[in-house]
Amino acid sequence: MALRRLDSCGDHYAGADIFAKWAGQTGVTLVAGGPSGNFLRLAASQNNTISMALTVDAVTVIFGFRLRMSVLPSTETTLLRLSSGASREDNIFVKISPAARIVIYYYNNGFFLITQSAPSVLLPNTWQYVEVKVLHALSATGTVDVRVGGVTVISETGKITADPGGAAYCSRLDWQGNNDGTTDIDDIYVCDATGALNNNFLGDIRVDVLKPNGVGRIQQWGVTGAATHHEATDETTLDGDTTYISESVLNDVDVVAMEDLPADVTSVLGVQACIAAKKADLGAREITTMIGDGVSEVASTNEKYLWMSAYGYLLTQYDQDPVSAAAWTPAKVNAAQLGVKITA
C-alpha cells in the first residue's frame, strides 16, 4: 500500500459535508468552476485552515494538490503544516514568500530554515500543481523535494526534517489561508514510500468522482426511501436518513454498479472507495469495503470502520484492482462494483 488519500475537493460532497471527510476546517467554502469541477476555497486569513488526518503515519510522505492563490502574500506566509501524533506536533512548515519562493522550515520551538526555491516559482491567480516529498528525520538524514507543474524547484538531502524532540513521521496535513487573498485547492493525492506502486510523485493528476448508477451482483441489504439500491446511495450531497441502505446481519454484502470514467481518461493510478455510514443501534458494529467486477467481490483487509451515531466516511485506497490483482485500467474501473459488508 502506498496510496493513502485522494480528494476531489467537493465533487461528491457539499460544503456542509466537509467535516465528514476532513479532520477540521475554518473559513472554507466549496466553489464550482475549477479545472476539474468543484474546489475548496480558504478565505483571506491565516486563521482559516482545512485539515486532513492520515490513517497511517508516514515516515516518507508524498502529496500533490492543485493550488491557486488570488494574490501573492505581502509577508512570508504558511501554506502548509505537516504534523505528527495526536498532539499535532508541528514538524514541517511550507511557506510562500512575497517573491513567490517556496520556503521550507522545520519547527523546534521556533522556525529553522531547511531550504527555499528560486523566486517566481508560483504565479498569482493561476492554477498550478504543487507536489511535496519529505523523508522525516530527527537528525541530518532527511530529504525534501518540491515540484511545481512537474518541474523540480527544491531537492535537498542531509537535512533535519522533523522536530528533534518529537516524532519523525507525518500524520496530518493542514492547509492555511493567506491574509492578503483567497487560497484555492483541488485534486489532492497523498502517498507514502511503501509498496511497489504509487510510492513517488504521481504528477499533475485529476481526481474524478464516479457515483452509483446500476444494480450490483449481490444486494443483501434493505433499501429505504428509494426504489433501488443505487438510487438510495447516489446523491452528491448526503441526504441523511432520507435515502439509504441498511442491514444488521453479519457478513451480508451489498454492491452497486458505478458510473464510467470520462472518455478522455486513458490511465488510472489508483482508486479510493468512499462509503458514508453510521451505526443506528446499540453496540459496536463494523463494516468493510467491497469491490467486485460483476463476477466476484473482494473485501478490504486494511480498512474497517466503527460506525458512529453521525455519518462519517470509510475511505479505502486501492493501488491496483483487488479482484484481478493487476494494475487499474479504465476498463477495469468501468466494470467495478462498489459496496459494503458487515464484519462485526
Side-chain angles (χ1 to χ4, degrees), residues 298-318:
V298 175
S300 168
T301 58
N302 68 326
E303 289 285 351
K304 293 186 179 180
Y305 183 77
L306 182 62
W307 296 2
M308 300 179 294
S309 58
Y311 283 96
Y313 276 97
L314 165 60
L315 304 175
T316 308
Q317 297 81 30
Y318 296 90

Side-chain angles (χ1 to χ4, degrees), residues 20-313:
K21 281 201 71 179
W22 292 79
Q25 65 90 16
T26 302
V28 178
T29 55
L30 190 153
V31 182
S36 58
N38 296 335
F39 59 90
L40 298 178
R41 170 166 288 171
L42 286 78
S45 171
Q46 275 275 276
N47 293 324
N48 293 326
T49 64
I50 188 161
S51 305
M52 176 181 288
L54 306 183
T55 56
V56 176
D57 298 332
V59 175
T60 298
V61 64
I62 308 121
F63 58 95
F65 57 99
R66 205 171 306 284
L67 171 69
R68 181 176 65 180
M69 303 178 76
S70 61
V71 295
L72 292 171
S74 57
T75 59
E76 193 171 88
T77 295
T78 298
L79 172 65
L80 264 165
R81 300 196 326 269
L82 285 65
S83 57
S84 62
S87 62
R88 295 167 60 183
E89 182 83 21
D90 288 324
N91 280 330
I92 294 290
F93 281 74
V94 179
K95 299 195 175 194
I96 309 300
S97 78
R101 296 179 186 268
I102 297 175
V103 188
I104 312 292
Y105 295 89
Y106 79 85
Y107 188 82
N108 182 18
N109 296 319
F111 295 105
F112 293 82
L113 179 67
I114 298 174
T115 187
Q116 61 183 332
S117 73
S120 304
V121 299
L122 294 176
L123 302 174
N125 202 32
T126 301
W127 284 107
Q128 295 173 280
Y129 205 83
V130 178
E131 297 176 278
V132 179
K133 178 180 180 180
V134 177
L135 167 58
H136 289 77
L138 303 179
S139 59
T141 58
T143 64
V144 178
D145 295 275
V146 180
R147 295 182 180 182
V148 177
V151 177
T152 298
V153 298
I154 288 174
S155 183
E156 293 284 350
T157 61
K159 299 293 184 179
I160 296 173
T161 52
D163 178 356
Y169 61 82
C170 178
S171 57
R172 185 180 176 108
L173 301 172
D174 293 86
W175 282 263
Q176 289 187 217
N178 170 14
N179 285 332
D180 297 291
T182 57
T183 301
D184 301 331
I185 59 171
D186 199 0
D187 293 324
I188 299 171
Y189 78 80
V190 183
C191 299
D192 61 27
T194 63
L197 300 171
N198 296 327
N199 57 11
N200 210 327
F201 289 121
L202 301 187
D204 186 340
I205 60 103
R206 185 178 82 197
V207 181
D208 286 320
V209 173
L210 309 180
K211 295 184 293 184
N213 74 339
V215 177
R217 189 187 77 87
I218 181 169
Q219 297 188 315
Q220 297 174 323
W221 290 34
V223 180
T224 298
T228 65
H229 295 238
H230 59 276
E231 289 172 321
T233 56
D234 66 352
E235 62 266 17
T236 297
T237 303
L238 296 181
D239 65 4
D241 293 338
T242 301
T243 63
Y244 59 90
I245 61 172
S246 61
E247 190 53 82
S248 60
V249 178
L250 186 66
N251 294 322
D252 270 7
V253 172
D254 203 282
V255 298
V256 293
M258 306 296 290
E259 295 173 332
D260 286 351
L261 287 164
D264 64 343
V265 174
T266 59
S267 64
V268 179
L269 295 171
V271 167
Q272 177 175 274
C274 305
I275 307 293
K278 73 173 185 178
K279 180 175 71 70
D281 54 5
L282 296 177
R285 303 306 301 267
E286 290 184 354
I287 59 173
T288 192
T289 304
M290 302 289 291
I291 284 189
D293 61 359
V295 177
S296 63
E297 293 79 33
V298 175
S300 168
T301 58
N302 68 326
E303 289 285 351
K304 293 186 179 180
Y305 183 77
L306 182 62
W307 296 2
M308 300 179 294
S309 58
Y311 283 96
Y313 276 97

